[in-house]
Amino acid sequence: MKCIARAQSNDLDRRRFISTAAMFAAAAELGIPTTAAAQPASPRTDTSFRQLKQIDAGPLNIGYVEAGPAGGIPVVLLHGWPYDIHSYAEVVPLLEAQGFRVIVPYLRGYGSTRFRASEIPRNGQQAALASDVLALMDALKIQSAVIAGYDWGARTANIVAALRPDRCKAMVSVSGYLIGSQAANRKPLPPQAELSWWYQYYFATERGRAGYQANTRDFARLIWQTASPDWKFTDATFERSAEAFNNPDHVAIVIHNYRWRLGLADGEAQYDEMEKFLAAAPAISVPTITLEGDANGAPHPDPMDYARKFAGKYEHRTIRGGIGHNLPQEAPHAFAQALIDVNRM
């Protein structure tokens, strides 16, 4: 096991120099010209996905992007909140060039993903999102895949790997082990840690729900800025992803997700056994690489605190150069390299 400690440098120019050098190294491994690797990810606005596909999977009709050969090793990439599939816009072609079959779905409440019936609860609990991934894999006839994500996507990947290791060939998880439980979330945190979760408590109120509904884009932009303080994304980059929040169920899913975590909203009975299993914080046995940006401004655990939760082949990497919470979009070459490497573990 390797564990690389987080860098403690305040010299942004030096971090950017290191980041550029790392991109050159990653580019060499990926077979990408170094002139392309030296281009920063954040200013690019011309990277677009091909036409979206839609498929019925469990309670949803899921919108997703698919790239790469049909016979390639499947990779499922899961986005977080408040982001969307475009977090992977520059990761996908890198993996496609390596022969992977890449699937990038909109989570429930985002983009073109829709509930198949009006009476289905707009449930954002963690087990429901993981079940969506398994249903999508069933619909696409994918028995096992490399699963990767950050934020909500990392938690969802963790749960799939813990519940169904037979369906998860390997995993890349930003910020490590994120499986939670309502019981654990009832335990108070130190004041500084509680402050970092301000929006969770805001969403617990009716004022917060109404505020998020009225100001979704502004709210998301604030989270982008605070979670990735060194990421200089453009208006076009933000607006491209913000379109995904126009989903009619977006606000309901987001609010339920955070209220469920605090035990302020019920889940669905069909997920009770899953949640009971997850509440015990099960170890993950599949090969795993965890990633962390050295400038992640969102709440996240220390890598040393979760290393023991990975019982199989495991490695941690800290990605340097002012990289924040949306790691695949801010450091696409490093993220793609982790996927290539974990597939070989």
Side-chain angles (χ1 to χ4, degrees), residues 26-56:
E29 176 69 19
L30 290 163
I32 303 166
T34 54
T35 53
Q39 298 300 314
S42 53
R44 294 188 58 180
T45 59
D46 60 344
T47 303
S48 299
F49 284 127
R50 300 165 187 167
Q51 184 176 3
L52 278 171
K53 297 182 178 181
Q54 298 287 144
I55 192 168
D56 287 342

PDB file of all heavy atoms in Angstrom, residues 26-56:
ATOM      1  N   ALA A  26       1.747  11.938 -17.072  1.00  0.00           N
ATOM      2  CA  ALA A  26       0.529  11.180 -17.365  1.00  0.00           C
ATOM      3  C   ALA A  26       0.306  11.059 -18.855  1.00  0.00           C
ATOM      4  O   ALA A  26      -0.111  10.020 -19.369  1.00  0.00           O
ATOM      5  CB  ALA A  26      -0.671  11.860 -16.710  1.00  0.00           C
ATOM      6  N   ALA A  27       0.612  12.124 -19.584  1.00  0.00           N
ATOM      7  CA  ALA A  27       0.428  12.100 -21.030  1.00  0.00           C
ATOM      8  C   ALA A  27       1.314  11.072 -21.682  1.00  0.00           C
ATOM      9  O   ALA A  27       0.913  10.385 -22.630  1.00  0.00           O
ATOM     10  CB  ALA A  27       0.724  13.484 -21.601  1.00  0.00           C
ATOM     11  N   ALA A  28       2.539  10.937 -21.173  1.00  0.00           N
ATOM     12  CA  ALA A  28       3.444   9.947 -21.746  1.00  0.00           C
ATOM     13  C   ALA A  28       2.893   8.547 -21.568  1.00  0.00           C
ATOM     14  O   ALA A  28       2.956   7.705 -22.461  1.00  0.00           O
ATOM     15  CB  ALA A  28       4.816  10.069 -21.080  1.00  0.00           C
ATOM     16  N   GLU A  29       2.331   8.270 -20.377  1.00  0.00           N
ATOM     17  CA  GLU A  29       1.752   6.959 -20.111  1.00  0.00           C
ATOM     18  C   GLU A  29       0.539   6.704 -20.995  1.00  0.00           C
ATOM     19  O   GLU A  29       0.311   5.594 -21.461  1.00  0.00           O
ATOM     20  CB  GLU A  29       1.347   6.874 -18.634  1.00  0.00           C
ATOM     21  CG  GLU A  29       0.626   5.583 -18.250  1.00  0.00           C
ATOM     22  CD  GLU A  29       1.531   4.373 -18.289  1.00  0.00           C
ATOM     23  OE1 GLU A  29       2.758   4.537 -18.253  1.00  0.00           O
ATOM     24  OE2 GLU A  29       1.002   3.253 -18.363  1.00  0.00           O
ATOM     25  N   LEU A  30      -0.258   7.737 -21.218  1.00  0.00           N
ATOM     26  CA  LEU A  30      -1.474   7.599 -22.010  1.00  0.00           C
ATOM     27  C   LEU A  30      -1.222   7.642 -23.510  1.00  0.00           C
ATOM     28  O   LEU A  30      -2.130   7.418 -24.299  1.00  0.00           O
ATOM     29  CB  LEU A  30      -2.461   8.717 -21.643  1.00  0.00           C
ATOM     30  CG  LEU A  30      -3.091   8.621 -20.254  1.00  0.00           C
ATOM     31  CD1 LEU A  30      -3.701   9.956 -19.868  1.00  0.00           C
ATOM     32  CD2 LEU A  30      -4.132   7.535 -20.210  1.00  0.00           C
ATOM     33  N   GLY A  31      -0.010   8.029 -23.905  1.00  0.00           N
ATOM     34  CA  GLY A  31       0.281   8.150 -25.319  1.00  0.00           C
ATOM     35  C   GLY A  31      -0.265   9.401 -25.937  1.00  0.00           C
ATOM     36  O   GLY A  31      -0.579   9.454 -27.122  1.00  0.00           O
ATOM     37  N   ILE A  32      -0.416  10.484 -25.126  1.00  0.00           N
ATOM     38  CA  ILE A  32      -0.976  11.744 -25.592  1.00  0.00           C
ATOM     39  C   ILE A  32       0.171  12.699 -25.850  1.00  0.00           C
ATOM     40  O   ILE A  32       1.116  12.773 -25.065  1.00  0.00           O
ATOM     41  CB  ILE A  32      -1.907  12.348 -24.522  1.00  0.00           C
ATOM     42  CG1 ILE A  32      -3.015  11.346 -24.186  1.00  0.00           C
ATOM     43  CG2 ILE A  32      -2.490  13.660 -24.973  1.00  0.00           C
ATOM     44  CD1 ILE A  32      -3.756  11.702 -22.938  1.00  0.00           C
ATOM     45  N   PRO A  33       0.143  13.487 -26.935  1.00  0.00           N
ATOM     46  CA  PRO A  33       1.197  14.463 -27.160  1.00  0.00           C
ATOM     47  C   PRO A  33       1.313  15.404 -25.979  1.00  0.00           C
ATOM     48  O   PRO A  33       0.321  15.856 -25.425  1.00  0.00           O
ATOM     49  CB  PRO A  33       0.731  15.208 -28.425  1.00  0.00           C
ATOM     50  CG  PRO A  33      -0.214  14.270 -29.092  1.00  0.00           C
ATOM     51  CD  PRO A  33      -0.865  13.488 -27.999  1.00  0.00           C
ATOM     52  N   THR A  34       2.562  15.712 -25.568  1.00  0.00           N
ATOM     53  CA  THR A  34       2.753  16.537 -24.381  1.00  0.00           C
ATOM     54  C   THR A  34       2.232  17.943 -24.570  1.00  0.00           C
ATOM     55  O   THR A  34       1.870  18.609 -23.613  1.00  0.00           O
ATOM     56  CB  THR A  34       4.244  16.594 -24.006  1.00  0.00           C
ATOM     57  OG1 THR A  34       4.993  17.029 -25.147  1.00  0.00           O
ATOM     58  CG2 THR A  34       4.733  15.245 -23.558  1.00  0.00           C
ATOM     59  N   THR A  35       2.146  18.439 -25.788  1.00  0.00           N
ATOM     60  CA  THR A  35       1.598  19.780 -25.997  1.00  0.00           C
ATOM     61  C   THR A  35       0.136  19.822 -25.610  1.00  0.00           C
ATOM     62  O   THR A  35      -0.353  20.809 -25.080  1.00  0.00           O
ATOM     63  CB  THR A  35       1.744  20.197 -27.467  1.00  0.00           C
ATOM     64  OG1 THR A  35       1.177  19.170 -28.291  1.00  0.00           O
ATOM     65  CG2 THR A  35       3.200  20.389 -27.821  1.00  0.00           C
ATOM     66  N   ALA A  36      -0.597  18.719 -25.803  1.00  0.00           N
ATOM     67  CA  ALA A  36      -2.005  18.669 -25.405  1.00  0.00           C
ATOM     68  C   ALA A  36      -2.130  18.566 -23.894  1.00  0.00           C
ATOM     69  O   ALA A  36      -2.986  19.180 -23.285  1.00  0.00           O
ATOM     70  CB  ALA A  36      -2.703  17.483 -26.067  1.00  0.00           C
ATOM     71  N   ALA A  37      -1.236  17.770 -23.280  1.00  0.00           N
ATOM     72  CA  ALA A  37      -1.319  17.574 -21.845  1.00  0.00           C
ATOM     73  C   ALA A  37      -1.029  18.854 -21.083  1.00  0.00           C
ATOM     74  O   ALA A  37      -1.519  19.057 -19.990  1.00  0.00           O
ATOM     75  CB  ALA A  37      -0.325  16.494 -21.399  1.00  0.00           C
ATOM     76  N   ALA A  38      -0.243  19.735 -21.660  1.00  0.00           N
ATOM     77  CA  ALA A  38       0.129  20.954 -20.956  1.00  0.00           C
ATOM     78  C   ALA A  38      -1.003  21.962 -20.900  1.00  0.00           C
ATOM     79  O   ALA A  38      -0.932  22.938 -20.166  1.00  0.00           O
ATOM     80  CB  ALA A  38       1.341  21.597 -21.630  1.00  0.00           C
ATOM     81  N   GLN A  39      -2.062  21.738 -21.676  1.00  0.00           N
ATOM     82  CA  GLN A  39      -3.189  22.675 -21.668  1.00  0.00           C
ATOM     83  C   GLN A  39      -4.009  22.493 -20.401  1.00  0.00           C
ATOM     84  O   GLN A  39      -4.381  21.383 -20.049  1.00  0.00           O
ATOM     85  CB  GLN A  39      -4.091  22.431 -22.890  1.00  0.00           C
ATOM     86  CG  GLN A  39      -3.382  22.648 -24.215  1.00  0.00           C
ATOM     87  CD  GLN A  39      -2.873  24.059 -24.358  1.00  0.00           C
ATOM     88  OE1 GLN A  39      -3.586  24.998 -24.066  1.00  0.00           O
ATOM     89  NE2 GLN A  39      -1.635  24.206 -24.797  1.00  0.00           N
ATOM     90  N   PRO A  40      -4.312  23.567 -19.644  1.00  0.00           N
ATOM     91  CA  PRO A  40      -5.132  23.432 -18.441  1.00  0.00           C
ATOM     92  C   PRO A  40      -6.542  23.015 -18.788  1.00  0.00           C
ATOM     93  O   PRO A  40      -7.078  23.369 -19.829  1.00  0.00           O
ATOM     94  CB  PRO A  40      -5.104  24.837 -17.832  1.00  0.00           C
ATOM     95  CG  PRO A  40      -4.811  25.744 -18.992  1.00  0.00           C
ATOM     96  CD  PRO A  40      -3.934  24.966 -19.924  1.00  0.00           C
ATOM     97  N   ALA A  41      -7.165  22.247 -17.885  1.00  0.00           N
ATOM     98  CA  ALA A  41      -8.505  21.733 -18.161  1.00  0.00           C
ATOM     99  C   ALA A  41      -9.570  22.806 -18.052  1.00  0.00           C
ATOM    100  O   ALA A  41     -10.521  22.820 -18.805  1.00  0.00           O
ATOM    101  CB  ALA A  41      -8.821  20.589 -17.189  1.00  0.00           C
ATOM    102  N   SER A  42      -9.420  23.733 -17.100  1.00  0.00           N
ATOM    103  CA  SER A  42     -10.530  24.614 -16.755  1.00  0.00           C
ATOM    104  C   SER A  42     -10.990  25.557 -17.857  1.00  0.00           C
ATOM    105  O   SER A  42     -12.190  25.772 -17.997  1.00  0.00           O
ATOM    106  CB  SER A  42     -10.191  25.413 -15.506  1.00  0.00           C
ATOM    107  OG  SER A  42      -8.963  26.089 -15.642  1.00  0.00           O
ATOM    108  N   PRO A  43     -10.103  26.169 -18.692  1.00  0.00           N
ATOM    109  CA  PRO A  43     -10.624  27.125 -19.657  1.00  0.00           C
ATOM    110  C   PRO A  43     -11.339  26.490 -20.838  1.00  0.00           C
ATOM    111  O   PRO A  43     -11.981  27.180 -21.614  1.00  0.00           O
ATOM    112  CB  PRO A  43      -9.358  27.860 -20.132  1.00  0.00           C
ATOM    113  CG  PRO A  43      -8.313  27.554 -19.116  1.00  0.00           C
ATOM    114  CD  PRO A  43      -8.648  26.192 -18.639  1.00  0.00           C
ATOM    115  N   ARG A  44     -11.235  25.197 -21.034  1.00  0.00           N
ATOM    116  CA  ARG A  44     -11.793  24.596 -22.234  1.00  0.00           C
ATOM    117  C   ARG A  44     -13.306  24.563 -22.185  1.00  0.00           C
ATOM    118  O   ARG A  44     -13.904  24.163 -21.207  1.00  0.00           O
ATOM    119  CB  ARG A  44     -11.242  23.184 -22.422  1.00  0.00           C
ATOM    120  CG  ARG A  44      -9.748  23.168 -22.713  1.00  0.00           C
ATOM    121  CD  ARG A  44      -9.276  21.799 -23.076  1.00  0.00           C
ATOM    122  NE  ARG A  44      -9.998  21.299 -24.232  1.00  0.00           N
ATOM    123  CZ  ARG A  44      -9.770  20.099 -24.770  1.00  0.00           C
ATOM    124  NH1 ARG A  44      -8.861  19.313 -24.262  1.00  0.00           N
ATOM    125  NH2 ARG A  44     -10.456  19.701 -25.815  1.00  0.00           N
ATOM    126  N   THR A  45     -13.929  24.980 -23.274  1.00  0.00           N
ATOM    127  CA  THR A  45     -15.393  24.970 -23.340  1.00  0.00           C
ATOM    128  C   THR A  45     -15.885  24.272 -24.609  1.00  0.00           C
ATOM    129  O   THR A  45     -17.068  24.208 -24.856  1.00  0.00           O
ATOM    130  CB  THR A  45     -15.940  26.406 -23.339  1.00  0.00           C
ATOM    131  OG1 THR A  45     -15.409  27.120 -24.455  1.00  0.00           O
ATOM    132  CG2 THR A  45     -15.561  27.122 -22.058  1.00  0.00           C
ATOM    133  N   ASP A  46     -14.959  23.725 -25.394  1.00  0.00           N
ATOM    134  CA  ASP A  46     -15.339  23.156 -26.679  1.00  0.00           C
ATOM    135  C   ASP A  46     -15.463  21.640 -26.635  1.00  0.00           C
ATOM    136  O   ASP A  46     -15.713  20.998 -27.640  1.00  0.00           O
ATOM    137  CB  ASP A  46     -14.322  23.553 -27.756  1.00  0.00           C
ATOM    138  CG  ASP A  46     -12.905  23.075 -27.431  1.00  0.00           C
ATOM    139  OD1 ASP A  46     -12.660  22.719 -26.262  1.00  0.00           O
ATOM    140  OD2 ASP A  46     -12.060  23.060 -28.340  1.00  0.00           O
ATOM    141  N   THR A  47     -15.265  21.041 -25.459  1.00  0.00           N
ATOM    142  CA  THR A  47     -15.353  19.594 -25.345  1.00  0.00           C
ATOM    143  C   THR A  47     -16.805  19.198 -25.108  1.00  0.00           C
ATOM    144  O   THR A  47     -17.377  19.512 -24.070  1.00  0.00           O
ATOM    145  CB  THR A  47     -14.481  19.092 -24.187  1.00  0.00           C
ATOM    146  OG1 THR A  47     -13.140  19.537 -24.408  1.00  0.00           O
ATOM    147  CG2 THR A  47     -14.491  17.577 -24.114  1.00  0.00           C
ATOM    148  N   SER A  48     -17.403  18.525 -26.069  1.00  0.00           N
ATOM    149  CA  SER A  48     -18.805  18.145 -25.957  1.00  0.00           C
ATOM    150  C   SER A  48     -18.953  16.645 -26.167  1.00  0.00           C
ATOM    151  O   SER A  48     -18.170  16.018 -26.876  1.00  0.00           O
ATOM    152  CB  SER A  48     -19.651  18.897 -26.989  1.00  0.00           C
ATOM    153  OG  SER A  48     -19.580  20.290 -26.779  1.00  0.00           O
ATOM    154  N   PHE A  49     -19.968  16.082 -25.533  1.00  0.00           N
ATOM    155  CA  PHE A  49     -20.258  14.680 -25.712  1.00  0.00           C
ATOM    156  C   PHE A  49     -21.054  14.460 -26.991  1.00  0.00           C
ATOM    157  O   PHE A  49     -21.666  15.376 -27.533  1.00  0.00           O
ATOM    158  CB  PHE A  49     -21.054  14.148 -24.527  1.00  0.00           C
ATOM    159  CG  PHE A  49     -20.231  13.928 -23.286  1.00  0.00           C
ATOM    160  CD1 PHE A  49     -20.603  14.488 -22.088  1.00  0.00           C
ATOM    161  CD2 PHE A  49     -19.083  13.152 -23.334  1.00  0.00           C
ATOM    162  CE1 PHE A  49     -19.860  14.276 -20.940  1.00  0.00           C
ATOM    163  CE2 PHE A  49     -18.331  12.929 -22.195  1.00  0.00           C
ATOM    164  CZ  PHE A  49     -18.718  13.501 -20.991  1.00  0.00           C
ATOM    165  N   ARG A  50     -21.027  13.217 -27.421  1.00  0.00           N
ATOM    166  CA  ARG A  50     -21.884  12.838 -28.548  1.00  0.00           C
ATOM    167  C   ARG A  50     -23.323  12.790 -28.072  1.00  0.00           C
ATOM    168  O   ARG A  50     -23.636  13.059 -26.922  1.00  0.00           O
ATOM    169  CB  ARG A  50     -21.442  11.479 -29.079  1.00  0.00           C
ATOM    170  CG  ARG A  50     -19.997  11.473 -29.569  1.00  0.00           C
ATOM    171  CD  ARG A  50     -19.489  10.064 -29.748  1.00  0.00           C
ATOM    172  NE  ARG A  50     -18.047  10.066 -30.047  1.00  0.00           N
ATOM    173  CZ  ARG A  50     -17.290   8.986 -30.013  1.00  0.00           C
ATOM    174  NH1 ARG A  50     -17.813   7.813 -29.690  1.00  0.00           N
ATOM    175  NH2 ARG A  50     -16.002   9.063 -30.283  1.00  0.00           N
ATOM    176  N   GLN A  51     -24.192  12.419 -28.957  1.00  0.00           N
ATOM    177  CA  GLN A  51     -25.616  12.409 -28.636  1.00  0.00           C
ATOM    178  C   GLN A  51     -25.906  11.519 -27.433  1.00  0.00           C
ATOM    179  O   GLN A  51     -25.395  10.404 -27.308  1.00  0.00           O
ATOM    180  CB  GLN A  51     -26.416  11.916 -29.840  1.00  0.00           C
ATOM    181  CG  GLN A  51     -27.925  11.963 -29.630  1.00  0.00           C
ATOM    182  CD  GLN A  51     -28.662  11.562 -30.896  1.00  0.00           C
ATOM    183  OE1 GLN A  51     -28.059  11.208 -31.898  1.00  0.00           O
ATOM    184  NE2 GLN A  51     -29.977  11.614 -30.839  1.00  0.00           N
ATOM    185  N   LEU A  52     -26.733  12.026 -26.547  1.00  0.00           N
ATOM    186  CA  LEU A  52     -27.140  11.254 -25.379  1.00  0.00           C
ATOM    187  C   LEU A  52     -27.973  10.052 -25.786  1.00  0.00           C
ATOM    188  O   LEU A  52     -28.725  10.089 -26.758  1.00  0.00           O
ATOM    189  CB  LEU A  52     -27.963  12.116 -24.431  1.00  0.00           C
ATOM    190  CG  LEU A  52     -27.231  13.039 -23.475  1.00  0.00           C
ATOM    191  CD1 LEU A  52     -28.243  13.953 -22.792  1.00  0.00           C
ATOM    192  CD2 LEU A  52     -26.464  12.245 -22.435  1.00  0.00           C
ATOM    193  N   LYS A  53     -27.873   9.003 -24.994  1.00  0.00           N
ATOM    194  CA  LYS A  53     -28.728   7.846 -25.135  1.00  0.00           C
ATOM    195  C   LYS A  53     -29.666   7.799 -23.939  1.00  0.00           C
ATOM    196  O   LYS A  53     -29.403   8.398 -22.902  1.00  0.00           O
ATOM    197  CB  LYS A  53     -27.893   6.568 -25.208  1.00  0.00           C
ATOM    198  CG  LYS A  53     -26.964   6.487 -26.416  1.00  0.00           C
ATOM    199  CD  LYS A  53     -26.212   5.170 -26.428  1.00  0.00           C
ATOM    200  CE  LYS A  53     -25.327   5.043 -27.653  1.00  0.00           C
ATOM    201  NZ  LYS A  53     -24.605   3.741 -27.699  1.00  0.00           N
ATOM    202  N   GLN A  54     -30.764   7.084 -24.070  1.00  0.00           N
ATOM    203  CA  GLN A  54     -31.723   6.895 -22.984  1.00  0.00           C
ATOM    204  C   GLN A  54     -32.057   5.420 -22.876  1.00  0.00           C
ATOM    205  O   GLN A  54     -32.165   4.728 -23.887  1.00  0.00           O
ATOM    206  CB  GLN A  54     -33.004   7.677 -23.234  1.00  0.00           C
ATOM    207  CG  GLN A  54     -32.849   9.178 -23.328  1.00  0.00           C
ATOM    208  CD  GLN A  54     -32.584   9.860 -22.006  1.00  0.00           C
ATOM    209  OE1 GLN A  54     -31.842  10.836 -21.942  1.00  0.00           O
ATOM    210  NE2 GLN A  54     -33.188   9.357 -20.936  1.00  0.00           N
ATOM    211  N   ILE A  55     -32.221   4.943 -21.640  1.00  0.00           N
ATOM    212  CA  ILE A  55     -32.580   3.538 -21.453  1.00  0.00           C
ATOM    213  C   ILE A  55     -33.388   3.385 -20.176  1.00  0.00           C
ATOM    214  O   ILE A  55     -33.124   4.060 -19.172  1.00  0.00           O
ATOM    215  CB  ILE A  55     -31.313   2.642 -21.410  1.00  0.00           C
ATOM    216  CG1 ILE A  55     -31.678   1.168 -21.522  1.00  0.00           C
ATOM    217  CG2 ILE A  55     -30.483   2.918 -20.154  1.00  0.00           C
ATOM    218  CD1 ILE A  55     -30.473   0.258 -21.781  1.00  0.00           C
ATOM    219  N   ASP A  56     -34.402   2.531 -20.196  1.00  0.00           N
ATOM    220  CA  ASP A  56     -35.173   2.219 -19.002  1.00  0.00           C
ATOM    221  C   ASP A  56     -34.335   1.319 -18.106  1.00  0.00           C
ATOM    222  O   ASP A  56     -33.793   0.292 -18.555  1.00  0.00           O
ATOM    223  CB  ASP A  56     -36.475   1.504 -19.364  1.00  0.00           C
ATOM    224  CG  ASP A  56     -37.494   2.435 -19.997  1.00  0.00           C
ATOM    225  OD1 ASP A  56     -37.348   3.664 -19.844  1.00  0.00           O
ATOM    226  OD2 ASP A  56     -38.437   1.931 -20.644  1.00  0.00           O
TER     227      ASP A  56
END
